[in-house]
Amino acid sequence: MYQDIVQKIIELKNADFALREKLILDGKLSVGYNPEMEKLHNKNAGELEDIINQIGYPSIDKVGEEASQNAWIIIQHAIALPDFMRKCAKELEKAVNENKADPINLAYLTDRIAVFEGKPQLYGTQFDWDKNGEMSPNFFDDVTKVNERRKQIGFNTLEEQIGIMKKRVKDENQFPPIDFEKRKLEMEEWRKKTGWIK
């Protein structure tokens, strides 16, 4: 067990959550991608990449369950770094195939990458505001197939998850964008700028 690395990964995740909490309290979480948060996400990803280059994917056998989970959170949040996220998805897939990482984490990461690439998600884990101002799953292929895949890895149904997500945004005082089309265009621009799409 890499004890110093375990500690480092936990610290990175804690810094991320502390900033998120602060942004929720300031009412700044749902207003675009906060520059302060983007900076922290990129910094955390850089430090995690150094760790991955040193020990490979931070799987449960190497860093324990908590730090492995925290590493995945850092990867999920590195949304401005497509190459890093794709590389981590490959490493995570290997670890899952060897029963050394959580398949649920791979489902979330696979979906997140698909959404940014403009492809249908497989598990319906990624949500966003829709044009009616509702928190809804991003584009997916087929609800029956999605629910079958969700069941295979121990998820609830997509319908149950929609209820949970709607409650969460309400509890966190998050509101839909005032101008849905403007936000959509900004998102497209951001995806081009970061290299998710050409």
Side-chain angles (χ1 to χ4, degrees):
M1 189 81 85
Y2 298 91
Q3 212 45 57
D4 50 337
I5 288 176
V6 168
Q7 207 41 52
K8 180 73 193 162
I9 292 171
I10 291 169
E11 281 166 19
L12 295 176
K13 192 277 298 183
N14 288 346
D16 181 318
F17 277 35
L19 179 57
R20 184 174 191 276
E21 203 54 47
K22 178 179 168 287
L23 293 173
I24 288 172
L25 291 173
D26 295 346
K28 292 180 182 171
L29 188 66
S30 50
V31 191
Y33 190 17
N34 182 282
E36 199 184 343
M37 186 150 244
E38 182 172 7
K39 195 176 160 192
L40 181 68
H41 285 164
N42 292 346
K43 177 187 157 292
N44 281 355
E47 296 201 32
L48 186 62
E49 190 161 29
D50 292 344
I51 289 169
I52 292 171
N53 291 338
Q54 193 186 331
I55 68 163
Y57 190 83
S59 48
I60 294 166
D61 59 313
K62 289 177 190 165
V63 296
E65 203 149 339
E66 184 188 1
S68 184
Q69 190 69 14
N70 289 349
W72 164 76
I73 289 167
I74 293 160
I75 296 161
Q76 277 288 101
H77 290 177
I79 60 173
L81 305 167
D83 292 341
F84 172 71
M85 283 184 87
R86 289 183 185 117
K87 177 181 141 185
C88 289
K90 286 192 182 112
E91 294 298 320
L92 175 54
E93 189 173 9
K94 280 186 222 160
V96 167
N97 290 338
E98 294 167 3
N99 290 323
K100 292 175 180 172
D102 190 341
I104 284 176
N105 291 354
L106 182 60
Y108 271 94
L109 186 55
T110 303
D111 274 0
R112 180 159 278 204
I113 290 169
V115 167
F116 287 135
E117 291 176 342
K119 296 173 183 164
Q121 48 175 344
L122 298 176
Y123 300 92
T125 63
Q126 304 300 296
F127 279 67
D128 202 354
W129 300 106
D130 66 19
K131 58 180 182 291
N132 303 318
E134 294 285 331
M135 183 53 71
S136 300
N138 287 91
F139 172 52
F140 55 85
D141 55 358
D142 173 273
V143 73
T144 308
K145 286 179 184 167
V146 167
N147 276 330
E148 278 168 16
R149 292 182 202 118
R150 289 177 72 87
K151 193 176 171 186
Q152 280 171 357
I153 55 171
F155 272 147
N156 58 0
T157 66
L158 189 55
E159 292 80 2
E160 286 167 332
Q161 191 59 24
I162 290 169
I164 289 168
M165 291 304 290
K166 286 184 176 175
K167 183 181 181 314
R168 180 184 298 171
V169 295
K170 197 168 168 251
D171 292 347
E172 289 183 352
N173 277 333
Q174 291 191 50
F175 299 100
I178 295 157
D179 187 337
F180 178 76
E181 287 305 320
K182 180 176 175 243
R183 182 169 180 268
K184 216 169 128 181
L185 284 172
E186 285 169 354
M187 185 68 182
E188 285 301 291
E189 282 305 306
W190 178 83
R191 283 165 62 215
K192 281 178 188 159
K193 187 186 86 176
T194 48
W196 281 111
I197 53 172
K198 293 207 168 17

